[in-house]
Amino acid sequence: MSRLQILFLTATLCGCATVRTYSDPVGDLREYSKIVLSNWASLPLDARTYDDAMSCSYVVNLPGKRIVAAGEKRTIYVKRGQPTSIGAWYMVGSIGVGAYTKCDLNTTFVPTADVYELVFDSAPGAKSCSVRASETSGGETRRLPGERIAVRKFNQAFGPNGPWCKDLTDAQMAALGIRPPVAGASAPGSAAAAAPGAAPAPEPYRPPGT
């Protein structure tokens, strides 16, 4: 990552760029999954989500502050059955003097259960990051299989509009149950209809007001 990109990223993360702030949904929460972000590292975790989960675009900051302190948890709600992406990173050192170590990752999955917990951790000195996930429904908690959560490296982008992650591969989309957009897929009788249980093809994202 170049110094210019780092400085722009810093401006975005510190709130200097205009981004939306997450707020809890209003209405029937049964249409939503609860996502718990847990930081098990000894370092503060910087986390965010996105309005466009497929490309990690249009950053949405966590309320109040993006930083999840060591040992703390933060909670958000996301629409069931729709792709969701969470960006997270740890950093040690100072960007200003160019002496820093940083690890980062984006996680993408399709929530269908009542509650998910994403547990983030980092090796000493932010030399590597990891995430593991569990889901809870009907009072039963189980580990989320690895194929149902895609871990994606950050893409080098300018500004909060992104995209901030690499495209999902066809194999990842199939494992996540996301149907790729296909021309005419929504037409009655189309052969490209979604497989049973598959998430529908995401609609192209349009910023609010457009």
Side-chain angles (χ1 to χ4, degrees):
M1 182 179 290
S2 71
R3 177 66 62 84
L4 179 59
Q5 288 171 313
I6 291 170
L7 292 176
F8 200 106
L9 174 60
T10 304
T12 301
L13 301 184
C14 76
C16 305
T18 301
V19 297
R20 190 170 74 81
T21 299
Y22 167 86
S23 59
D24 286 338
V26 177
D28 190 354
L29 290 181
R30 289 176 298 181
E31 298 179 0
Y32 296 83
S33 292
K34 179 180 179 180
I35 311 295
V36 180
L37 310 178
S38 299
N39 180 15
W40 281 26
S42 59
L43 299 169
L45 171 71
D46 206 331
R48 64 187 180 189
T49 185
Y50 307 93
D51 273 330
D52 184 346
M54 295 298 291
S55 63
C56 303
S57 299
Y58 299 94
V59 170
V60 179
N61 282 335
L62 299 185
K65 57 181 181 179
R66 295 173 307 278
I67 301 298
V68 183
E72 286 191 352
K73 298 182 178 183
R74 304 289 294 278
T75 298
I76 61 174
Y77 291 86
V78 299
K79 197 78 170 180
R80 290 179 188 247
Q82 295 185 2
T84 295
S85 290
I86 306 293
W89 57 92
Y90 296 96
M91 184 181 298
V92 174
S94 171
I95 289 179
V97 298
Y100 67 95
T101 302
K102 176 175 176 285
C103 66
D104 50 52
L105 49 82
N106 283 295
T107 57
T108 300
F109 64 106
V110 179
T112 56
D114 297 334
V115 181
Y116 290 83
E117 183 172 17
L118 303 184
V119 177
F120 295 93
D121 205 347
S122 171
K127 294 179 180 178
S128 64
C129 301
S130 64
V131 60
R132 58 185 183 275
S134 62
E135 60 181 358
T136 302
S137 277
E140 179 183 353
T141 300
R142 54 193 172 273
R143 176 181 169 275
L144 189 66
E147 64 271 13
R148 288 186 50 205
I149 181 166
V151 178
R152 309 160 70 184
K153 290 297 292 182
F154 265 79
N155 186 50
Q156 297 182 8
F158 289 100
N161 290 352
W164 284 98
C165 59
K166 303 293 186 181
D167 291 341
L168 289 167
T169 65
D170 290 344
Q172 287 175 317
M173 292 185 70
L176 293 172
I178 300 173
R179 183 189 59 192
V182 177
S186 60
S190 169
E203 291 292 329
Y205 176 73
R206 295 180 177 84
T210 62

